[in-house]
Amino acid sequence: MDRTAQLTARPPQPENAYDPPPSGPALHVRAARVLDANWTGGSTVPSRNLYPHQWSWDSAFIAIGLRHVSPLRAQTELETLLAAQWADGRVPHIVFNPSVPLDAYFPSPDFWRSATAGHRAGAPRTVQTSGIVQPPVHALAAWLVHRADPVLSRARGFLARVHPRLAAWHRYLLHRRDLGGGGLVSVVHPWEQGMDNSPCWDAPLARITPAPARSFRRADLDHGAPQDRPTDLDYGRYVRLAADYRDRGYADGGGEFAVEDPAFNALLIASEHALARIAEELGAAGTARHARAERLTAALVERLWEPAAGMFLCRDLRGEGLIGERGVSGLVPLLLPGLPRDIAAALVRTVRGPHFSLGDRTRLVPSYDLLGEAFDPHRYWRGPAWFNTSWLLERGLRTHGERERADALREAVLRLADATGFAEYVDPYTGEACGATGFSWTAALTLDLHKELLKHTGQGVSPTGTGTFDRSDKGGDRR
């Protein structure tokens, strides 16, 4: 079996993957090969075995990397996802490939029953999807993809076609998911936030009665080490929440789980700024969207900033307010250029401090507090470091003038992606690979940071210098 389709098996003794990788084809060549291997003709699977369908925020990150090797494929990636959008505006977190057997992934299409259970919410009839969503990275991705090859984008009418769908997606979130009434978007399932089993969800999930173990079969354990994956108890609660949401016809507002998450809202703010630039490119005014992004940033600070923790925290709308657990989600708002200077400085201190120890004990940003009682260096989002969150924080550090630290994080991402065969996630201390190898967003974001490295070292196009949302080249293959 091709290594890019295999899952890692951990050795008896952890290996330090920060050591120099073996020689071979150039890094960007091997990253592009991973994306080629995972390409299905209209979209890219995150992993051939573990995740054999199209995932929403994965596709956004994948498009950001694909733009450097094939802007056309990057555009197609987003167009395929948005073609499965529901009439109420939601972009589903999974678009199912009908050629994949039902037992290859759980929850499968027959669990979600999108066309019937989602009928009132406007689920599409011609494609099967899940009924929940994922973080809204899509407008940011679309803008960066356009910037990679504006000539091709304009010739194909790319932005003109995706803009209405992106605008509807944001309307859904802003109007239907402000469950706390404070202006921020809420997630109604841990899978929506993307950091599935983060300890930040332990308290809200403790209220949920899990589905009986005999009522479902986990396909992920056929491919992943059980010690790297969420527990059966967690999964039982995920299934219960998803089934209850489905049985309500995917109507928002009545569930037992409702959390305002800092990363989800920060990515919406970033995409609001990007959507403003897309509107301006199409000849419309972007002022209202920029203003909305500023209001959302103020709401984010008001509702989720915790000075004593030096970071943003999640707010449990069905419980006791702010959740005291420190997850990487609370650092992601560093991405935002409009963040108050003192808050940005505090976030930098926190990411370098003992709870995350970036640049000291860790080279990539761990997904959870190193000092937290629930920390586990191998179990999914309970401690391992992920490449997409480190990519977001690299941008955040650079946005707020932390160039040397951003350079160090970029170098660590590239070195570790290379050494682990583009692993899904890694032990934050040793860099040991966990989950799948040949993981698509790892390969894609490696391509993006590799391109940036060439630009910063003078071997490529110089940076535009216009902020977080313009860091892209204009060249590329038009396949």
Side-chain angles (χ1 to χ4, degrees):
M1 183 182 295
D2 189 324
R3 176 170 167 77
T4 60
Q6 291 183 11
L7 288 157
T8 59
R10 296 209 306 269
Q13 296 297 323
E15 297 176 354
N16 191 334
Y18 294 114
D19 291 337
S23 60
L27 175 62
H28 69 281
V29 172
R30 285 182 286 113
R33 286 176 180 173
V34 169
L35 297 180
D36 285 343
N38 291 343
W39 175 248
T40 67
S43 64
T44 310
V45 298
S47 166
R48 280 287 178 183
N49 288 342
L50 192 56
Y51 305 106
H53 302 285
Q54 183 178 25
W55 261 257
S56 174
W57 75 325
D58 289 74
S59 278
F61 288 123
I62 289 164
I64 288 170
L66 271 177
R67 68 193 171 115
H68 298 299
V69 294
S70 176
L72 177 57
R73 259 176 60 190
Q75 292 175 29
T76 302
E77 185 80 39
L78 295 173
E79 291 165 349
T80 300
L81 176 69
L82 292 173
Q85 186 174 29
W86 292 26
D88 66 2
R90 81 182 74 194
V91 176
H93 100 294
I94 302 175
V95 181
F96 290 105
N97 182 343
S99 68
V100 173
L102 287 178
D103 62 359
Y105 181 81
F106 179 84
S108 53
D110 57 343
F111 172 88
W112 296 102
R113 303 198 291 272
S114 59
T116 53
H119 175 70
R120 290 187 178 179
R125 296 183 179 182
T126 57
V127 63
Q128 294 176 308
T129 76
S130 65
I132 59 175
V133 302
Q134 276 192 322
V137 199
H138 311 89
L140 174 57
W143 176 245
L144 293 176
V145 167
H146 164 77
R147 292 281 295 158
D149 193 335
V151 174
L152 175 66
S153 176
R154 290 166 187 149
R156 295 188 68 245
F158 170 64
L159 291 183
R161 283 183 288 112
V162 301
H163 176 266
R165 291 184 177 273
L166 293 170
W169 168 218
H170 286 208
R171 281 196 301 273
Y172 166 78
L173 292 173
L174 292 165
H175 296 162
R176 301 285 291 277
R177 288 298 192 90
D178 182 9
L179 304 181
L184 296 184
V185 173
S186 298
V187 296
V188 300
H189 194 290
W191 287 339
E192 292 199 313
Q193 193 266 358
M195 303 177 191
D196 304 14
N197 68 330
S198 168
C200 298
W201 313 133
D202 287 356
L205 281 176
R207 299 190 298 267
I208 310 302
T209 302
R214 64 183 180 276
S215 66
F216 62 92
R217 178 186 174 278
R218 295 179 58 179
D220 63 318
L221 297 183
D222 294 341
H223 306 291
Q227 61 267 38
D228 290 352
R229 307 293 299 167
T231 65
D232 286 343
L233 178 59
D234 284 337
Y235 234 85
R237 287 169 168 155
Y238 303 153
V239 171
R240 172 71 70 187
L241 280 174
D244 288 350
Y245 190 41
R246 175 199 65 201
D247 294 345
R248 295 198 310 272
Y250 297 110
D252 295 310
E256 298 178 76
F257 186 98
V259 175
E260 293 174 348
D261 173 73
F264 195 103
N265 281 279
L267 292 170
L268 176 61
I269 294 166
S271 278
E272 272 290 299
H273 281 301
L275 200 52
R277 297 196 174 191
I278 290 172
E280 291 163 357
E281 168 69 21
L282 295 174
T287 308
R289 290 206 176 274
H290 284 306
R292 181 180 292 121
E294 292 172 3
R295 292 195 300 273
L296 286 168
T297 301
L300 182 71
V301 171
E302 179 182 353
R303 291 184 64 80
L304 303 186
W305 176 250
E306 177 49 69
M311 62 186 299
F312 292 87
L313 302 178
C314 299
R315 179 177 293 276
D316 181 6
L317 297 180
R318 304 287 188 259
E320 300 298 325
L322 291 179
I323 299 169
E325 303 288 357
R326 293 175 169 90
V328 69
S329 170
L331 303 174
V332 170
L334 189 63
L335 175 73
L336 303 175
L339 207 61
R341 183 175 299 177
D342 60 328
I343 290 179
L347 286 173
V348 173
R349 289 194 297 271
T350 298
V351 78
R352 295 179 57 227
H355 295 284
F356 296 92
S357 200
L358 182 66
D360 183 10
R361 289 182 293 160
T362 68
R363 294 295 179 268
L364 299 189
V365 186
S367 54
Y368 177 64
D369 183 0
L370 298 173
L371 305 180
E373 291 184 6
F375 174 79
D376 184 329
H378 286 158
R379 195 176 291 278
Y380 219 46
W381 289 96
R382 301 181 77 83
W386 289 71
F387 291 89
N388 65 327
T389 49
S390 286
W391 180 86
L392 290 168
L393 288 170
E394 189 271 349
R395 295 175 73 89
L397 288 168
R398 206 170 295 284
T399 294
H400 292 282
E402 298 286 341
R403 179 176 176 178
E404 290 185 6
R405 295 189 176 99
D407 287 348
L409 181 53
R410 178 178 62 199
E411 180 181 355
V413 168
L414 294 175
R415 180 181 294 273
L416 197 49
D418 195 4
T420 61
F422 307 99
E424 185 180 0
Y425 50 101
V426 298
D427 182 308
Y429 290 123
T430 67
E432 177 192 351
C434 303
T437 54
F439 200 72
S440 289
W441 78 23
T442 303
L445 299 177
T446 296
L447 281 171
D448 188 63
L449 291 179
H450 181 265
K451 188 72 172 183
E452 287 298 319
L453 179 62
L454 294 180
K455 289 161 62 174
H456 284 297
T457 56
Q459 298 179 49
V461 181
S462 61
T464 62
T466 54
T468 301
F469 308 109
D470 270 339
R471 288 175 51 207
S472 59
D473 67 300
K474 296 184 177 65
D477 175 15
R478 299 190 186 185
R479 287 178 291 168

